[in-house]
Amino acid sequence: MNETKLKETLMNDARRGGICADGYAQMRAYDRDELIGFYVQNPDWCMERGFPSLELLRREFSDIEDKGVFVGKTFDGEVFDKLQTYIFHDCKGTIKVAMDYDNAVIPMLYFANGCRMRVECEQKNDPAINVPLYIAEDCKVVGAKTDNCVFRRKIIKFIEP
């Protein structure tokens, strides 16, 4: 889909999701990369509304793993510690988290669209780090018990437009 058509689709979907006037105006001025940044900065609002759709994410945004967004991927113990926010859609498997002490970053993890995942922390932390897990109500995410990390779970409920 070309960028103009993609943006039009996203804008229509955001309007149906109940985006505020300021957010809509902000999105209107953005190009694709800026829209991705906007999405990564507002995952709660997006997840509550199923925005963008899983189909659109698969088709148009499966190439943004470097931005911390993963779609339909199976993991086998990869470590996430460089970015502030990671978003997983329809993913499965096991991931590990760690604090990036050099940059003072503890990742926040978001799970949507039926993720089935386990989150572990093997990094030695004293005191234990707190890692937030924001989990859409259609996902099953388990934070493994550890002395190195405390997983703080928040269930994100869907809002009907």
Side-chain angles (χ1 to χ4, degrees), residues 101-114:
Y101 282 96
D102 292 338
N103 296 302
V105 172
I106 297 174
M108 298 183 301
L109 308 176
Y110 291 81
F111 303 90
N113 290 302

Side-chain angles (χ1 to χ4, degrees), residues 56-129:
L56 188 65
L57 284 164
R58 279 189 206 285
R59 190 175 63 240
E60 300 295 333
F61 298 104
S62 61
D63 63 340
I64 59 173
E65 292 181 3
D66 62 323
K67 307 282 191 220
V69 180
F70 299 85
V71 182
K73 188 165 179 155
T74 300
F75 294 95
D76 188 24
E78 291 86 338
V79 177
F80 293 88
D81 64 350
K82 298 297 179 218
L83 301 176
Q84 182 69 59
T85 303
Y86 291 97
I87 305 169
F88 303 90
H89 293 278
D90 188 34
C91 293
K92 60 186 175 184
T94 299
I95 61 172
K96 297 176 183 176
V97 294
M99 179 170 178
D100 177 347
Y101 282 96
D102 292 338
N103 296 302
V105 172
I106 297 174
M108 298 183 301
L109 308 176
Y110 291 81
F111 303 90
N113 290 302
C115 285
R116 300 287 179 255
M117 298 182 69
R118 178 180 176 87
V119 184
E120 300 176 348
C121 179
E122 294 178 351
Q123 180 184 48
K124 300 296 182 204
N125 300 296
D126 188 20
I129 59 172

